[in-house]
Amino acid sequence: MLKASGAPALAILLALGAPVLAQAAPQPEPPPTAAPSPMTQPAPATPPAQPPPPAEKAPPPPRISSGLDLDMLQTKDLSLVWFAPAETYLTPHVARSFENSFAFQQKTFGWKPWDRTTVLLKDFSDYGNAGARSSPNNALLVDIAPLSQTYETFSPGERFYTLMNHELTHVATMDVWNSQDAFWRTLFHGKPMPIEEHPESIVYNYLATPRVNVPRWYLEGSAVFMETWMAGGYGRAQGGYDEMVFRAMVRDNARFYSPLGLESEGTQVDFQVGVNSYLYGTRFMTWLALTYGPEKVVGWLRRDEGSKAYYSAQFEHVFGKPLDEAWQDWIASEHAFQDTNLKSIAQYPITPLERLTPRALGSISRSFYDPQTRSLIGAFRYPGVIGHMGVLSLDTGKIRRLQNIKGAMLYRVTSTAYDPETHTVWYNTDNYAYRDIMQMDVRTGQTKMVIRDGRIGDLVFNPKTKSLWGLRHLNGYVTLVEIPPPYTSWRQAHTFGYGQVLFDPDISPDGKQISLSFGEVNGDQSVRVYDLAALDETEPKTVAKFSLGQSTPEGFVYSPDGRYLYGTAYYTGVSNLYRYDLQTQKVEALTNTQTGLFRPIPLPDGSVIAYEYTGDGFTPVRLDHPTPLDDLGAITFLGAEVARTRPVVKDWAVGSPAKVPLDDMITQTGKYLPQHELALDAIYPAVAGYKGTGAAGVFANFEDPLQLNQITAAAYYSPGGHLSDEERFHADLQYRSIDWKLEYWHNKADFYDLFGPVDRSRKGDAFIATYSKIPIYDPPRQLDISVTGAVYAGLDALPGAQNISAAADRDIGTISFDAKYTNTDKSLGAVDHERGWRWNLDAEVDTSHGEAFPSIRGGLDFGAPLPLNHASIWLYNSAGAYLNTSSDPLDDFYFGSFRNNYVDNREPKRYREYDSFPGFGIDAINAQRFAKSVAELNLPPIRFSDVGTPSLYLSSLRPAVFAGVMASDPGYGPMHYYETIGTQADFNFTVALRLPMVFSVGYAAGFEKGDYRGGQILASLKIL
């Protein structure tokens, strides 16, 4: 789900909020020795027509600019927007999938949409994803690439059918309203979204859309629960992965989080991070449906007349008991349920597993065994350490870290391929964007990029031809490609049809065959083996094909002699190890395990290394010469129990989108022009501060549904205080597009000036124009460039120095160039950046009364992690100079103070900024030239689990100490030298269930040439 925010339009387009990991999977077909569980089948989705195959040369990444070309079609309830022509072939199917789901959501939740839902299709990622919002408007952002099928963490069915069912549940359950909500929406002329500039909007947002203010587990749990039954039983509520997670937790006596602990800690420190919201939420919703009935769950989600606005009050209203009490009932029931499953598995002998490391490794990639060093070469990602390529010693259990992985994924980390003769490994970076291919020497760790933005992953090495093979994602299609040495270019071998999703390839030891897991548009899953020499044919030749019921066979790899394929599947509901004999075409089960096995590595001696799922993630185990088994233990699915005892869910299947008469529903087609789509989103009362007095007024926001263009207007009046009549009225008008920001203000007022000591308010008038570009957008690497021109008139203080007077008749003109580069990273569970570097360069010319005052300023920051998890050390450096040497106040830089207001919306650790110098007053230090360094030690954060309530809880404490030195030349007399030393502790907490806040306390002492000049206490609350 995408959280609505006040971010620039570019960020909203390019970055998803919370990734849609609504991990849904079909219930596996039991083995012949077990009785099948009840499950209904989803209606088949109608695939779109086929476009021409992708070109062999990868197009450059999309450049978002003011000239972007978007097409649009509209129905009564939908605005579908896409990048033409590459995505046009998808639009009829996506629109039908939307309308198909939309009709169900309206009926089920009694939902009358407050506004039309806008859906944007984009291809900015190599894996499919989506996000939803309902404030300030209903919108979905959808990445069209195939969805990751790793470990069956997503439904293998047609992706847009699944995504629309999931995301529209979000929109419906957040946008639902009754007469009470309608009153506020009418009063505000819309649904205000929380924005930093006007934190009063937090209250208005709750009044207008109370069901937006819910925990993430509520949103994701309800969406996955509904998605499962809307698809006729395909989904996470009947998924093998979910069952495994909770079965492993019970077996390993792992901690179950409370609702509060889940939000404050469980989604931060666990290797699955935010996915825990999906896991817990889905499980709790399913248990409620089983225990109280699916109708009760729907009643909780609805917003009928007489319902409670707050989600937990509505829970007690519907279920007759507090939510926390019901949650504890579910945990007790889950233990009993999984104990029964563990006993069912143990009806047959449990396969002995030899653990090879003392600890679990979180997420893992495909790994390769090196017999010379008795080690595994692969990628690992777990809390406290940035995802990396490494060598895991099976003798010591220690990992030799080789290279950090830029853009590591959850679960699979990255794709890997290995050449044992040259000790070369290939892997992907930017796994959530446009994948790059990196080549690394395992012995030295030396790495180079061989293909940038190739969008090729699922890499595999051909030992005979020495070529790489991989799967390329483009325009919603999967293409098998070959990458010959020196691995800098590729050729297209075959593009598969829409809805055919391939993954986990492997190449036979003789280099003649390739095996792949193969998913069909109707959800059927199999392993297919192709003759590499025949791939140029229109229909590639299938050498072998097998399936394991409704489960997804994955991770199948060739044995060293080429006779067998070893892999895993949830065939019995448990992910066991299977072997396929290519000669006899027979599938044999090799294990009967309690939780699940994945990523097998068959060895020449007949033993197999695999990864076992535990309560803390995946850990390597060895199986000593596994032999075929006749009988395996099976489990019961909680979702299947719902279908058996509450058969009403079988009636929730929405069927095929093909039945939707889309042509009759279309009301408009054409181009999407943001400036033509501008509309009033909200208008509401606002307050601000001005020179120690309060001001009351109104704030209005106009924008297009995709937030590409925005106009805001604010007007205030200060009724009291010492102000002259000409200063009592305040106005601020802004226009934002992707590239431009234009602003005019008169007697600028600011909400945060109500809570000094830093004043942003200024008397007078200003006209400011800023043009911005992002030449590098390759997270975490990003380069921002902007040019700003401004004219100020009638000021009584300098624009950037509140305590430095400016003559009232003095007009000031400014033109500046700013460049900022950042490349910082952090590990799972971190609160702040832990390693990397960044720089900035600012050149400015101020003019007044015919004089020019040019200046230049730059900064360079860098840091590295310490051996303690989440501890790091940083050095922040800056220097600058004015090129004139006059006594004019425009010819100086100004420093001093923490520069935090008591209530603020800027970075909490302001002492990192160039103009901050704690221990001295605001603007107390002036300099025509300066050089400054601040060293910072970030200590590991202290985590809190159950401190507060769901609507206001504390999650962590982030302590730091710092010390800085500065040399300044004031332009007269000798150089001045200053020192500062201090500490700051940031308490991170959340209000309204999902809005981040930081309360900072600190102290710093200031020194001049070693002499103590005073101390300064910090107390500041950062909003959003």
Side-chain angles (χ1 to χ4, degrees), residues 940-962:
I942 300 170
R943 292 286 182 181
F944 303 98
S945 181
D946 290 288
V947 179
T949 67
S951 57
L952 177 62
Y953 62 83
L954 179 66
S955 59
S956 67
L957 165 62
R958 178 180 62 175
V961 294
F962 62 89

Side-chain angles (χ1 to χ4, degrees), residues 962-983:
F962 62 89
V965 295
M966 181 171 67
S968 78
D969 174 10
Y972 52 86
M975 293 284 290
H976 290 205
Y977 299 93
Y978 304 91
E979 301 86 30
T980 181
I981 184 169
T983 183

Side-chain angles (χ1 to χ4, degrees), residues 541-661:
K541 180 181 178 181
T542 302
V543 176
K545 174 183 175 181
F546 67 93
S547 61
L548 287 159
Q550 297 169 5
S551 62
T552 299
E554 58 181 310
F556 274 83
V557 296
Y558 284 90
S559 60
D561 60 8
R563 176 176 176 178
Y564 298 103
L565 285 168
Y566 285 80
T568 63
Y570 296 96
Y571 186 71
T572 66
V574 179
S575 183
N576 276 300
L577 180 65
Y578 294 88
R579 182 175 70 186
Y580 177 73
D581 191 323
L582 287 157
Q583 295 179 7
T584 65
Q585 297 191 351
K586 180 181 178 181
V587 179
E588 299 170 317
L590 299 180
T591 63
N592 182 44
T593 192
Q594 291 179 303
T595 58
L597 295 173
F598 302 90
R599 302 277 182 209
I601 308 170
L603 303 181
D605 65 0
S607 63
V608 178
I609 293 175
Y611 285 95
E612 181 193 21
Y613 184 86
T614 72
D616 294 321
F618 297 90
T619 187
V621 295
R622 184 191 299 273
L623 295 84
D624 187 18
H625 298 84
T627 57
L629 303 177
D630 293 327
D631 298 300
L632 307 181
I635 64 168
T636 300
F637 284 75
L638 193 66
E641 288 297 288
V642 173
R644 182 178 65 83
T645 62
R646 307 287 185 174
V648 66
V649 296
K650 297 180 181 180
D651 300 329
W652 288 4
V654 298
S656 172
K659 65 180 183 289
V660 175

Side-chain angles (χ1 to χ4, degrees), residues 469 491 511-514 530-537 540-541:
W469 289 74
R491 73 166 188 88
K512 295 180 179 180
Q513 297 176 351
I514 185 169
Y530 294 105
D531 183 346
L532 283 174
L535 279 172
D536 288 333
E537 298 178 5
K541 180 181 178 181

